[in-house]
Amino acid sequence: MKLRVLGCSGGIGSDSDTTSLLVDSDVLIDAGTGIGNLKLDELVRIDHIFVTHSHLDHIAFIPFLVDTVGFLRKKPVIVYATQETVNILQNHMFNWLVWPDFTKIPNMETPYMQYEIIAEGEVINLDGRMITPLPANHVVPAVGFQVNSGRSSLVFTGDTTTNDALWSVVNTIENLKYLIIEAAFCEAKRDIAIRSKHLCPSLLCAELDKLKFHADIYVTHLKQGEDELTMREIQACAGRYNPRRLLKNQIFDF
């Protein structure tokens, strides 16, 4: 399997885009502004979108993607999300007020988009590629994802804060190769991180101490303007784990 980082920033501008990860050519994990960098023929090939949670930086380009490619495809784009997240998408985005409901366009029998309800621990097998929702601890219902090729696994935490439930699962993944974990704020904003249920360097370091397996660790969701400071603070307290900054267009083979 191959994963390409389309966007991994906490904001936009200066060639930065919000969270979106492309697995092979047909699976997205989150649908932030990074999707806008794909060409039309790449967009058409996307069959599956796995959503961690309903915040706009992770879902903003689902409407544009479906609107752009729906009539070019022979089958609907499938959006995988928890029931709580699907409810939010239906009520607050695809509601005919903010955007049309593409589960009913052009008709309910052959829609451009459909939902697939997922739950923590449920393995979705896409031709041998196994994707499993993981526990997350955020201000809205949220999950992370394990992406397992069979040979090795990549874990993406999604947006989360202190989360013992996540590590109880991650520490059972014997083929873990990559861990992508968020740190949205610098240490000076620890209080904001706690209230918004994100991580800052000290909270991230405490979480990494719970990891029992070795993995290559990458930090995502850094806020622009304080990203370099945040990485320096992470290195100061978690340098023994060799955490690296996740980069746009980075590719992982596993």
Side-chain angles (χ1 to χ4, degrees):
M1 296 177 70
K2 181 177 291 186
L3 182 145
R4 173 184 166 195
V5 179
L6 303 179
C8 57
S9 176
I12 61 171
S14 301
D15 197 36
S16 294
D17 284 292
T18 65
T19 303
S20 187
L21 311 174
L22 180 63
V23 179
D24 296 332
S25 62
D26 61 328
V27 179
L28 282 176
I29 297 177
D30 280 342
T33 63
I35 296 175
N37 298 310
L38 295 177
K39 297 177 181 178
L40 181 60
D41 64 319
E42 294 177 302
L43 294 172
V44 172
R45 289 198 291 269
I46 295 170
D47 293 327
H48 314 275
I49 304 174
F50 287 80
V51 179
T52 58
H53 67 292
S54 60
H55 281 163
L56 199 58
D57 53 330
H58 297 256
I59 65 168
F61 270 46
I62 299 177
F64 299 118
L65 170 65
V66 177
D67 191 28
T68 299
V69 305
F71 74 100
L72 298 172
R73 295 172 47 84
K74 295 181 180 179
K75 56 185 178 180
V77 176
I78 302 176
V79 175
Y80 300 79
T82 64
Q83 183 67 68
E84 295 89 345
T85 298
V86 167
N87 291 345
I88 295 170
L89 293 175
Q90 290 175 321
N91 293 332
H92 301 289
M93 178 170 279
F94 296 101
N95 59 4
W96 298 103
L97 299 174
V98 175
W99 207 251
D101 183 356
F102 280 106
T103 65
K104 298 179 175 64
I105 296 175
N107 54 65
M108 295 182 67
E109 289 71 36
T110 59
Y112 289 163
M113 183 182 84
Q114 71 181 48
Y115 297 112
E116 184 75 25
I117 305 299
I118 59 175
E120 287 181 21
E122 174 191 1
V123 180
I124 297 91
N125 191 328
L126 302 177
D127 299 322
R129 301 168 300 173
M130 294 163 284
I131 300 177
T132 307
L134 302 175
N137 181 13
H138 199 35
V139 292
V140 294
V143 295
F145 289 107
Q146 174 192 359
V147 185
N148 186 357
S149 69
R151 181 178 66 180
S152 54
S153 285
L154 178 148
V155 164
F156 172 54
T157 68
D159 288 9
T160 193
T161 187
T162 302
N163 187 9
D164 289 343
L166 171 68
W167 304 109
S168 67
V169 177
V170 170
N171 285 328
T172 68
I173 302 174
E174 295 183 357
N175 68 350
L176 180 64
K177 185 175 183 180
Y178 298 114
L179 171 66
I180 299 175
I181 187 169
E182 71 122 283
F185 295 99
C186 65
E187 195 60 26
K189 296 180 179 176
R190 177 186 167 99
D191 179 63
I192 298 176
I194 291 172
R195 287 188 283 118
S196 62
K197 290 196 171 183
H198 281 287
L199 294 173
C200 64
S202 60
L203 295 174
L204 171 62
C205 294
E207 291 301 283
L208 292 180
D209 284 341
K210 301 171 186 176
L211 178 62
K212 295 181 179 179
F213 291 116
H214 170 77
D216 293 338
I217 297 170
Y218 292 86
V219 181
T220 188
H221 212 290
L222 297 163
K223 293 287 187 182
Q224 289 170 279
E226 58 188 43
D227 45 354
E228 294 182 2
L229 169 62
T230 304
M231 280 306 304
R232 288 197 300 270
E233 293 175 338
I234 290 170
Q235 291 291 348
C237 71
R240 63 191 178 280
Y241 297 107
N242 191 29
R244 285 163 276 187
R245 179 176 181 170
L246 191 68
L247 300 174
K248 181 177 174 180
N249 294 319
Q250 192 165 1
I251 293 176
F252 297 86
D253 287 295
F254 57 102

